[in-house]
Amino acid sequence: MSDDPGENGQPDPSDPLDSFDEIIDAETTRDPDLAVIEAGSRTLRTQGGPPEADVPGRPEDPETDAALRAVETELATRWGETKLEPSVTRIAALMDVLGDPQRSYPSIHITGTNGKTSTARMIEALLGAFELRTGRYTSPHVQSITERISLDGAPMSAERFIETYQDVKPYVEMVDAQQEYRLSFFEVLTGMAYAAFADAPVDVAVVEVGMGGSWDATNVIDGDVAVVTPIDLDHTDRLGETPGEIATEKSGIVKQDATVILAQQPVDAAQVMLKKAVDVNATVAREGLEFGVVARQVAVGGQLATLRGLGGEYDEVYLPLHGAHQAHNAAVALAAVEAFFGVGAQRPERLDLDTVRQAFAAVASPGRMEVVRRSPTVVLDAAHNPAGARVTAEAVGEAFQFSRLIGVVGASGDKNVRGLLEAFEPVFAEVVVTQNSSHRAMDADELAGVAVEVFGEDRVQVEPRLPDALEAAITLAEEEGEFSGGGVLVTGSVITVGEARLLLGKG
């Protein structure tokens, strides 16, 4: 950024970089002690897609569907994603017997609390638009387990998923026999993803952590680029009770001499991340300083943004996703891809603008502010913690002019449900509480008890079955008449959103 003052010591209005100064004003208040940390860290300062893929449904071929169900049944016998033994010992052993497939390609590793999957999809789209073959590993899935592993921008086919599982199964059983605990559901899927990427082979892997960072099963890769989306409170029983404590665990993905793309963070989380970067001689690019969102405006079906990347400004970027948070995710994704290509370090010029525009215009993120029905409009969003709920509430108010918004909420019992409901209270006229089919789902009556305390009894309706909850919410949204502008937002859990998506005819 330019440090040259204009006349009378004021910024030169003709300097195109001055408009970017507004980004800094929006940055989280910074602790003076961070300056000391940053002094020891190198920072990036510039001098100078695949087609849209929907969520897959069940295989049409009965034999393939039966084989996939058999794989799902076998995986279900393992520890689920909420039962953890914090260690990478087992996954490292699996990688060893598989021949360390994760070492055969470079990778971009993504951690944070919210926005990881959307950011991963954007990174994947950008890399694909620049003609790189990509592998993407994200979690959890919205509808189909095969969503978690993508090749060339599309979920792995059921046939290939089954084949990959059968290929790694003997090695999984070998490791199971040697370890105190069997490999978990997530560890096996991680091994499958890394093996599939090597077999493809891919030019680059885009990998989202499952939980945390240091001991997450994905952390047997050494990401050339480490991406940290905004950190907030979630999984506090496992990761810590403050953003700083959570950041300590998540900083484990930052490896020696890597590049760190750091979204706007609470001060204590930023401090932890910057200190880790110093310790491992990592290069840091920070949202609000080295890159960010310069401007954005609501557009039909999404938004139009001007992004400041490491290599310069990218204007008129259409993003078919709603909400300011998605624009910030786009800025993070752009900086990550620039860093991967060496922009801001070896290369001072920006990426090809038309290619960047093309990539972002093709991005999809199912279950994230996704419209699945009209008259009334039904929107799905997988917000499952207070931070996610706050940005969703803001986004739905910006993108839609609902005269009456009805919420359908089905949450997991291990989440901060009160905080989630409090974030939605200002925007929901009424809320229909329900539960999804997961064993983790909070009982609808228990959820209703919390909802009544937040919304008041007159604004809460209980429908334990999700189909009934959707029908009730749509009826409430239509009460003011056909042209009333009522809408429905289904939220609270990825599982709730996935099941609602199926009920509403998607996938």
Side-chain angles (χ1 to χ4, degrees):
M1 296 183 58
S2 173
D3 294 321
D4 295 332
E7 293 183 10
N8 302 318
Q10 298 301 313
D12 180 359
S14 66
D15 187 348
L17 293 182
D18 286 342
S19 62
F20 187 60
D21 290 343
E22 297 176 7
I23 297 174
I24 300 175
D25 296 334
E27 191 187 37
T28 303
T29 303
R30 301 173 64 77
D31 190 303
D33 291 341
L34 293 183
V36 177
I37 298 172
E38 292 172 12
S41 173
R42 295 179 292 127
T43 59
L44 280 174
R45 295 185 183 276
T46 303
Q47 301 298 321
E52 180 176 324
D54 198 3
V55 177
R58 298 300 309 183
E60 294 184 4
D61 177 61
E63 291 186 7
T64 303
D65 186 45
L68 181 60
R69 290 186 187 279
V71 171
E72 291 170 323
T73 299
E74 288 187 24
L75 288 170
T77 65
R78 297 181 175 274
W79 276 0
E81 291 171 280
T82 59
K83 186 173 182 179
L84 303 168
E85 194 275 318
S87 166
V88 294
T89 301
R90 294 177 302 281
I91 187 66
L94 179 60
M95 293 296 98
D96 183 56
V97 298
L98 288 173
D100 286 322
Q102 80 283 10
R103 307 290 183 201
S104 63
Y105 40 79
S107 56
I108 297 175
H109 206 175
I110 307 169
T111 191
T113 300
N114 292 310
K116 296 187 295 296
T117 298
S118 293
T119 302
R121 284 177 168 271
M122 293 177 193
I123 291 172
E124 173 190 52
L126 283 163
L127 292 169
F130 284 99
E131 300 184 351
L132 291 185
R133 190 168 199 200
T134 58
R136 173 173 54 84
Y137 181 52
T138 54
S139 60
H141 56 273
V142 177
Q143 288 175 200
S144 171
I145 194 172
T146 60
E147 296 167 38
R148 295 181 179 232
I149 306 173
S150 289
L151 294 169
D152 294 324
M156 180 182 284
S157 68
E159 292 83 358
R160 191 162 187 172
F161 188 91
I162 296 163
E163 181 183 349
T164 302
Y165 176 75
Q166 296 299 339
D167 285 345
V168 304
K169 182 178 177 180
Y171 301 96
V172 167
E173 292 173 344
M174 186 187 308
V175 173
D176 283 344
Q178 297 170 348
Q179 299 294 320
E180 181 179 2
Y181 304 107
R182 297 170 70 214
L183 287 155
S184 70
F185 168 87
F186 187 73
E187 287 169 332
V188 174
L189 282 176
T190 302
M192 289 173 59
Y194 289 162
F197 296 162
D199 184 60
V202 302
D203 297 314
V204 55
V206 182
V207 178
E208 173 190 337
V209 303
M211 185 186 300
S214 295
W215 43 258
D216 186 73
T218 63
N219 202 32
V220 288
I221 58 172
D222 292 327
D224 300 74
V225 178
V227 176
V228 187
T229 66
I231 293 173
D232 212 297
L233 301 183
D234 199 9
H235 302 295
T236 53
D237 55 330
R238 298 179 178 90
L239 302 179
E241 297 183 352
T242 67
E245 291 177 354
I246 294 171
T248 299
E249 172 57 35
K250 293 184 182 292
S251 69
I253 74 163
V254 179
K255 304 300 174 58
Q256 188 73 33
D257 299 322
T259 300
V260 183
I261 304 301
L262 193 62
Q264 290 183 2
Q265 303 291 346
V267 171
D268 56 345
Q271 188 166 7
V272 168
M273 286 293 172
L274 291 168
K275 184 178 185 304
K276 178 60 181 284
V278 172
D279 292 343
V280 298
N281 195 38
T283 302
V284 180
R286 299 151 296 177
E287 184 181 8
L289 292 177
E290 284 76 38
F291 69 93
V293 180
V294 176
R296 55 178 293 274
Q297 62 188 66
V298 176
V300 176
Q303 56 193 301
L304 195 66
T306 297
L307 305 177
R308 174 70 181 179
L310 306 176
E313 197 165 286
Y314 301 76
D315 63 349
E316 296 185 359
V317 174
Y318 175 68
L319 186 66
L321 300 172
H322 298 291
H325 62 294
Q326 294 289 18
H328 287 281
N329 289 340
V332 169
L334 176 60
V337 172
E338 286 182 311
F340 182 79
F341 284 128
V343 173
Q346 296 90 2
R347 296 174 54 188
E349 75 278 5
R350 70 181 184 184
L351 300 175
D352 180 72
L353 177 58
D354 288 340
T355 304
V356 169
R357 287 173 175 166
Q358 173 192 347
F360 277 122
V363 168
S365 194
R368 278 76 179 177
M369 288 294 293
E370 181 186 17
V371 177
V372 293
R373 173 185 163 150
R374 299 286 186 181
S375 299
T377 299
V378 178
V379 182
L380 307 180
D381 192 86
H384 56 274
N385 55 44
R390 287 192 293 270
V391 297
T392 297
E394 179 182 349
V396 77
E398 175 187 83
F400 305 96
Q401 301 300 316
F402 292 130
S403 61
R404 176 182 173 83
L405 180 62
I406 309 300
V408 174
V409 178
S412 296
D414 58 348
K415 297 296 182 181
N416 180 357
V417 175
R418 178 179 294 276
L420 182 140
L421 292 172
E422 288 174 345
F424 282 124
E425 190 278 331
V427 299
F428 286 166
E430 297 184 53
V431 61
V432 181
V433 296
T434 188
Q435 64 190 75
N436 57 55
S437 63
S438 168
H439 68 279
R440 296 172 55 199
M442 176 177 277
D443 178 78
D445 289 331
E446 183 182 354
L447 179 57
V450 181
V452 166
E453 294 176 4
V454 174
F455 287 83
E457 188 172 354
D458 293 342
R459 295 169 62 195
V460 178
Q461 183 171 330
V462 186
E463 295 290 350
R465 296 181 64 252
L466 183 56
D468 296 335
L470 291 171
E471 183 178 353
I474 289 170
T475 300
L476 288 169
E478 292 175 331
E479 278 187 354
E480 295 181 8
E482 182 180 356
F483 303 105
S484 66
V488 175
L489 175 64
V490 183
T491 189
S493 164
V494 175
I495 299 169
T496 300
V497 163
E499 293 180 358
R501 204 171 186 277
L502 279 172
L503 290 168
L504 293 166
K506 289 287 187 176

